[in-house]
mmCIF file of all heavy atoms in Angstrom:
data_model
loop_
_atom_site.group_PDB
_atom_site.id
_atom_site.type_symbol
_atom_site.label_atom_id
_atom_site.label_comp_id
_atom_site.label_asym_id
_atom_site.label_seq_id
_atom_site.Cartn_x
_atom_site.Cartn_y
_atom_site.Cartn_z
ATOM 1 N N THR A 182 -8.844 37.244 59.043
ATOM 2 C CA THR A 182 -9.327 36.838 60.350
ATOM 3 C C THR A 182 -10.566 37.669 60.709
ATOM 4 O O THR A 182 -11.296 37.257 61.613
ATOM 5 C CB THR A 182 -8.292 37.022 61.437
ATOM 6 O OG1 THR A 182 -7.779 38.330 61.350
ATOM 7 C CG2 THR A 182 -7.131 36.066 61.260
ATOM 8 N N ALA A 183 -10.760 38.775 60.040
ATOM 9 C CA ALA A 183 -12.054 39.558 60.284
ATOM 10 C C ALA A 183 -12.141 40.553 59.131
ATOM 11 O O ALA A 183 -11.216 40.651 58.249
ATOM 12 C CB ALA A 183 -11.936 40.371 61.652
ATOM 13 N N ASP A 184 -13.211 41.245 59.054
ATOM 14 C CA ASP A 184 -13.446 42.246 57.971
ATOM 15 C C ASP A 184 -12.489 43.390 58.191
ATOM 16 O O ASP A 184 -12.530 44.094 59.213
ATOM 17 C CB ASP A 184 -14.915 42.755 58.094
ATOM 18 C CG ASP A 184 -15.256 43.698 56.894
ATOM 19 O OD1 ASP A 184 -14.274 44.218 56.264
ATOM 20 O OD2 ASP A 184 -16.443 43.870 56.652
ATOM 21 N N PRO A 185 -11.537 43.610 57.255
ATOM 22 C CA PRO A 185 -10.577 44.673 57.407
ATOM 23 C C PRO A 185 -11.113 46.098 57.421
ATOM 24 O O PRO A 185 -10.445 47.007 57.898
ATOM 25 C CB PRO A 185 -9.625 44.480 56.226
ATOM 26 C CG PRO A 185 -10.493 43.786 55.173
ATOM 27 C CD PRO A 185 -11.378 42.939 55.960
ATOM 28 N N ARG A 186 -12.371 46.179 56.991
ATOM 29 C CA ARG A 186 -13.008 47.495 57.094
ATOM 30 C C ARG A 186 -13.402 47.845 58.505
ATOM 31 O O ARG A 186 -13.564 49.050 58.863
ATOM 32 C CB ARG A 186 -14.268 47.514 56.157
ATOM 33 C CG ARG A 186 -13.958 47.279 54.708
ATOM 34 C CD ARG A 186 -15.311 47.122 53.889
ATOM 35 N NE ARG A 186 -15.001 46.801 52.500
ATOM 36 C CZ ARG A 186 -14.751 45.588 51.993
ATOM 37 N NH1 ARG A 186 -14.726 44.528 52.832
ATOM 38 N NH2 ARG A 186 -14.537 45.383 50.745
ATOM 39 N N LEU A 187 -13.556 46.795 59.330
ATOM 40 C CA LEU A 187 -13.989 46.993 60.778
ATOM 41 C C LEU A 187 -12.838 46.733 61.736
ATOM 42 O O LEU A 187 -12.831 47.257 62.843
ATOM 43 C CB LEU A 187 -15.130 46.028 61.055
ATOM 44 C CG LEU A 187 -16.424 46.189 60.176
ATOM 45 C CD1 LEU A 187 -17.467 45.167 60.576
ATOM 46 C CD2 LEU A 187 -16.937 47.560 60.344
ATOM 47 N N VAL A 188 -11.941 45.860 61.317
ATOM 48 C CA VAL A 188 -10.793 45.552 62.209
ATOM 49 C C VAL A 188 -9.492 45.823 61.369
ATOM 50 O O VAL A 188 -9.157 45.020 60.486
ATOM 51 C CB VAL A 188 -10.830 44.044 62.609
ATOM 52 C CG1 VAL A 188 -9.624 43.714 63.553
ATOM 53 C CG2 VAL A 188 -12.092 43.737 63.318
ATOM 54 N N GLU A 189 -8.824 46.872 61.702
ATOM 55 C CA GLU A 189 -7.696 47.366 60.873
ATOM 56 C C GLU A 189 -6.568 46.372 60.837
ATOM 57 O O GLU A 189 -5.814 46.292 59.822
ATOM 58 C CB GLU A 189 -7.232 48.726 61.373
ATOM 59 C CG GLU A 189 -8.235 49.865 61.093
ATOM 60 C CD GLU A 189 -7.620 51.217 61.494
ATOM 61 O OE1 GLU A 189 -6.565 51.203 62.221
ATOM 62 O OE2 GLU A 189 -8.223 52.210 61.250
ATOM 63 N N ASP A 190 -6.385 45.662 61.934
ATOM 64 C CA ASP A 190 -5.224 44.742 61.967
ATOM 65 C C ASP A 190 -5.531 43.270 61.689
ATOM 66 O O ASP A 190 -4.831 42.386 62.132
ATOM 67 C CB ASP A 190 -4.463 44.854 63.297
ATOM 68 C CG ASP A 190 -5.438 44.616 64.488
ATOM 69 O OD1 ASP A 190 -6.575 44.242 64.255
ATOM 70 O OD2 ASP A 190 -4.983 44.722 65.678
ATOM 71 N N ALA A 191 -6.677 43.072 60.951
ATOM 72 C CA ALA A 191 -7.003 41.730 60.517
ATOM 73 C C ALA A 191 -5.868 41.139 59.729
ATOM 74 O O ALA A 191 -5.196 41.825 58.915
ATOM 75 C CB ALA A 191 -8.285 41.708 59.703
ATOM 76 N N GLN A 192 -5.599 39.808 59.865
ATOM 77 C CA GLN A 192 -4.429 39.266 59.150
ATOM 78 C C GLN A 192 -4.880 38.192 58.177
ATOM 79 O O GLN A 192 -5.997 37.596 58.311
ATOM 80 C CB GLN A 192 -3.473 38.655 60.091
ATOM 81 C CG GLN A 192 -3.932 37.405 60.870
ATOM 82 C CD GLN A 192 -2.764 36.765 61.696
ATOM 83 O OE1 GLN A 192 -1.643 36.618 61.198
ATOM 84 N NE2 GLN A 192 -3.095 36.361 62.887
ATOM 85 N N LEU A 193 -4.049 37.938 57.237
ATOM 86 C CA LEU A 193 -4.316 36.970 56.118
ATOM 87 C C LEU A 193 -4.049 35.535 56.672
ATOM 88 O O LEU A 193 -3.046 35.290 57.305
ATOM 89 C CB LEU A 193 -3.425 37.328 54.965
ATOM 90 C CG LEU A 193 -3.568 36.398 53.752
ATOM 91 C CD1 LEU A 193 -4.918 36.575 53.042
ATOM 92 C CD2 LEU A 193 -2.413 36.679 52.753
ATOM 93 N N MET A 194 -4.910 34.648 56.314
ATOM 94 C CA MET A 194 -4.738 33.231 56.564
ATOM 95 C C MET A 194 -4.151 32.528 55.290
ATOM 96 O O MET A 194 -4.623 32.833 54.202
ATOM 97 C CB MET A 194 -6.033 32.552 56.948
ATOM 98 C CG MET A 194 -6.511 32.912 58.356
ATOM 99 S SD MET A 194 -8.073 32.061 58.720
ATOM 100 C CE MET A 194 -9.341 33.340 58.274
ATOM 101 N N THR A 195 -3.208 31.656 55.451
ATOM 102 C CA THR A 195 -2.649 30.951 54.288
ATOM 103 C C THR A 195 -3.578 29.838 53.844
ATOM 104 O O THR A 195 -3.635 29.563 52.640
ATOM 105 C CB THR A 195 -1.280 30.381 54.612
ATOM 106 O OG1 THR A 195 -1.352 29.526 55.721
ATOM 107 C CG2 THR A 195 -0.250 31.481 54.888
ATOM 108 N N GLU A 196 -4.313 29.242 54.793
ATOM 109 C CA GLU A 196 -5.292 28.249 54.429
ATOM 110 C C GLU A 196 -6.293 28.097 55.487
ATOM 111 O O GLU A 196 -6.181 28.505 56.644
ATOM 112 C CB GLU A 196 -4.579 26.846 54.168
ATOM 113 C CG GLU A 196 -3.861 26.255 55.336
ATOM 114 C CD GLU A 196 -3.231 24.941 54.961
ATOM 115 O OE1 GLU A 196 -2.689 24.790 53.839
ATOM 116 O OE2 GLU A 196 -3.281 23.980 55.805
ATOM 117 N N ILE A 197 -7.422 27.499 55.083
ATOM 118 C CA ILE A 197 -8.637 27.386 55.942
ATOM 119 C C ILE A 197 -9.391 26.156 55.518
ATOM 120 O O ILE A 197 -9.354 25.849 54.254
ATOM 121 C CB ILE A 197 -9.470 28.652 55.943
ATOM 122 C CG1 ILE A 197 -10.598 28.649 57.015
ATOM 123 C CG2 ILE A 197 -10.047 28.930 54.534
ATOM 124 C CD1 ILE A 197 -11.286 29.925 57.135
ATOM 125 N N THR A 198 -10.120 25.555 56.323
ATOM 126 C CA THR A 198 -10.930 24.353 55.904
ATOM 127 C C THR A 198 -12.256 24.837 55.318
ATOM 128 O O THR A 198 -12.680 25.894 55.592
ATOM 129 C CB THR A 198 -11.210 23.416 57.117
ATOM 130 O OG1 THR A 198 -12.128 24.024 58.043
ATOM 131 C CG2 THR A 198 -9.941 22.997 57.824
ATOM 132 N N CYS A 199 -12.841 23.969 54.547
ATOM 133 C CA CYS A 199 -14.120 24.279 54.021
ATOM 134 C C CYS A 199 -15.196 24.496 55.043
ATOM 135 O O CYS A 199 -16.012 25.360 54.957
ATOM 136 C CB CYS A 199 -14.641 23.168 53.059
ATOM 137 S SG CYS A 199 -14.264 23.495 51.339
ATOM 138 N N ASP A 200 -15.188 23.632 56.167
ATOM 139 C CA ASP A 200 -16.132 23.813 57.204
ATOM 140 C C ASP A 200 -16.029 25.178 57.912
ATOM 141 O O ASP A 200 -17.002 25.865 58.156
ATOM 142 C CB ASP A 200 -15.960 22.760 58.304
ATOM 143 C CG ASP A 200 -16.451 21.362 57.778
ATOM 144 O OD1 ASP A 200 -17.036 21.317 56.704
ATOM 145 O OD2 ASP A 200 -16.223 20.403 58.481
ATOM 146 N N GLU A 201 -14.779 25.638 58.124
ATOM 147 C CA GLU A 201 -14.570 26.973 58.694
ATOM 148 C C GLU A 201 -15.002 28.057 57.731
ATOM 149 O O GLU A 201 -15.665 29.066 58.154
ATOM 150 C CB GLU A 201 -13.046 27.145 59.084
ATOM 151 C CG GLU A 201 -12.582 26.250 60.178
ATOM 152 C CD GLU A 201 -11.030 26.240 60.357
ATOM 153 O OE1 GLU A 201 -10.374 26.411 59.272
ATOM 154 O OE2 GLU A 201 -10.614 26.069 61.443
ATOM 155 N N MET A 202 -14.724 27.879 56.502
ATOM 156 C CA MET A 202 -15.110 28.881 55.448
ATOM 157 C C MET A 202 -16.562 28.948 55.375
ATOM 158 O O MET A 202 -17.206 30.033 55.117
ATOM 159 C CB MET A 202 -14.492 28.586 54.190
ATOM 160 C CG MET A 202 -14.529 29.730 53.116
ATOM 161 S SD MET A 202 -13.700 31.188 53.623
ATOM 162 C CE MET A 202 -15.050 32.374 53.744
ATOM 163 N N LEU A 203 -17.309 27.822 55.424
ATOM 164 C CA LEU A 203 -18.754 27.795 55.386
ATOM 165 C C LEU A 203 -19.359 28.598 56.490
ATOM 166 O O LEU A 203 -20.230 29.465 56.290
ATOM 167 C CB LEU A 203 -19.303 26.381 55.424
ATOM 168 C CG LEU A 203 -19.290 25.549 54.152
ATOM 169 C CD1 LEU A 203 -19.599 24.091 54.456
ATOM 170 C CD2 LEU A 203 -20.338 26.104 53.122
ATOM 171 N N GLU A 204 -18.868 28.466 57.702
ATOM 172 C CA GLU A 204 -19.305 29.219 58.803
ATOM 173 C C GLU A 204 -19.023 30.724 58.599
ATOM 174 O O GLU A 204 -19.945 31.559 58.726
ATOM 175 C CB GLU A 204 -18.683 28.787 60.132
ATOM 176 C CG GLU A 204 -18.913 27.312 60.477
ATOM 177 C CD GLU A 204 -20.327 27.095 60.927
ATOM 178 O OE1 GLU A 204 -21.113 28.021 60.896
ATOM 179 O OE2 GLU A 204 -20.700 25.915 61.326
ATOM 180 N N LEU A 205 -17.809 31.101 58.261
ATOM 181 C CA LEU A 205 -17.456 32.482 58.122
ATOM 182 C C LEU A 205 -18.237 33.092 56.955
ATOM 183 O O LEU A 205 -18.744 34.280 57.085
ATOM 184 C CB LEU A 205 -15.991 32.676 57.843
ATOM 185 C CG LEU A 205 -15.032 32.349 58.997
ATOM 186 C CD1 LEU A 205 -13.580 32.383 58.604
ATOM 187 C CD2 LEU A 205 -15.236 33.441 60.128
ATOM 188 N N ALA A 206 -18.396 32.395 55.855
ATOM 189 C CA ALA A 206 -19.144 32.920 54.730
ATOM 190 C C ALA A 206 -20.643 33.187 55.076
ATOM 191 O O ALA A 206 -21.211 34.185 54.698
ATOM 192 C CB ALA A 206 -19.047 32.014 53.544
ATOM 193 N N SER A 207 -21.140 32.264 55.877
ATOM 194 C CA SER A 207 -22.586 32.400 56.266
ATOM 195 C C SER A 207 -22.773 33.439 57.326
ATOM 196 O O SER A 207 -23.879 33.840 57.573
ATOM 197 C CB SER A 207 -23.122 31.094 56.672
ATOM 198 O OG SER A 207 -23.012 30.133 55.667
ATOM 199 N N LEU A 208 -21.698 33.769 58.051
ATOM 200 C CA LEU A 208 -21.748 34.780 59.145
ATOM 201 C C LEU A 208 -21.549 36.214 58.609
ATOM 202 O O LEU A 208 -21.423 37.158 59.409
ATOM 203 C CB LEU A 208 -20.758 34.496 60.185
ATOM 204 C CG LEU A 208 -21.045 33.175 61.016
ATOM 205 C CD1 LEU A 208 -19.811 32.735 61.744
ATOM 206 C CD2 LEU A 208 -22.218 33.384 61.915
ATOM 207 N N GLY A 209 -21.406 36.324 57.336
ATOM 208 C CA GLY A 209 -21.269 37.699 56.764
ATOM 209 C C GLY A 209 -19.988 37.991 56.079
ATOM 210 O O GLY A 209 -19.839 39.060 55.483
ATOM 211 N N ALA A 210 -19.036 37.115 56.111
ATOM 212 C CA ALA A 210 -17.793 37.279 55.370
ATOM 213 C C ALA A 210 -18.096 37.259 53.905
ATOM 214 O O ALA A 210 -18.615 36.295 53.406
ATOM 215 C CB ALA A 210 -16.789 36.243 55.792
ATOM 216 N N LYS A 211 -17.804 38.360 53.219
ATOM 217 C CA LYS A 211 -18.285 38.487 51.856
ATOM 218 C C LYS A 211 -17.337 38.041 50.777
ATOM 219 O O LYS A 211 -17.628 38.156 49.552
ATOM 220 C CB LYS A 211 -18.645 40.008 51.622
ATOM 221 C CG LYS A 211 -19.703 40.543 52.497
ATOM 222 C CD LYS A 211 -19.970 41.990 52.226
ATOM 223 C CE LYS A 211 -21.113 42.559 53.150
ATOM 224 N NZ LYS A 211 -20.708 42.520 54.577
ATOM 225 N N VAL A 212 -16.174 37.413 51.151
ATOM 226 C CA VAL A 212 -15.208 37.033 50.210
ATOM 227 C C VAL A 212 -15.665 35.896 49.359
ATOM 228 O O VAL A 212 -15.372 35.790 48.156
ATOM 229 C CB VAL A 212 -13.871 36.682 50.854
ATOM 230 C CG1 VAL A 212 -12.835 36.234 49.885
ATOM 231 C CG2 VAL A 212 -13.333 37.917 51.704
ATOM 232 N N LEU A 213 -16.310 34.920 49.890
ATOM 233 C CA LEU A 213 -16.844 33.792 49.245
ATOM 234 C C LEU A 213 -18.332 33.521 49.617
ATOM 235 O O LEU A 213 -18.671 33.739 50.789
ATOM 236 C CB LEU A 213 -16.091 32.536 49.578
ATOM 237 C CG LEU A 213 -14.793 32.250 48.881
ATOM 238 C CD1 LEU A 213 -14.123 30.967 49.401
ATOM 239 C CD2 LEU A 213 -15.074 32.004 47.353
ATOM 240 N N HIS A 214 -19.163 33.169 48.640
ATOM 241 C CA HIS A 214 -20.510 32.860 48.999
ATOM 242 C C HIS A 214 -20.689 31.435 49.545
ATOM 243 O O HIS A 214 -20.000 30.531 49.043
ATOM 244 C CB HIS A 214 -21.451 33.051 47.760
ATOM 245 C CG HIS A 214 -22.883 33.099 48.091
ATOM 246 N ND1 HIS A 214 -23.658 31.997 48.146
ATOM 247 C CD2 HIS A 214 -23.704 34.117 48.441
ATOM 248 C CE1 HIS A 214 -24.846 32.304 48.554
ATOM 249 N NE2 HIS A 214 -24.919 33.609 48.679
#
Side-chain angles (χ1 to χ4, degrees):
T182 53
D184 186 340
R186 299 169 182 87
L187 302 176
V188 180
E189 290 184 350
D190 55 5
Q192 69 171 317
L193 179 69
M194 289 180 265
T195 57
E196 60 181 41
I197 188 172
T198 69
C199 264
D200 285 354
E201 291 169 331
M202 191 64 241
L203 277 170
E204 298 289 3
L205 288 172
S207 300
L208 292 166
K211 300 179 178 64
V212 179
L213 276 174
H214 194 272

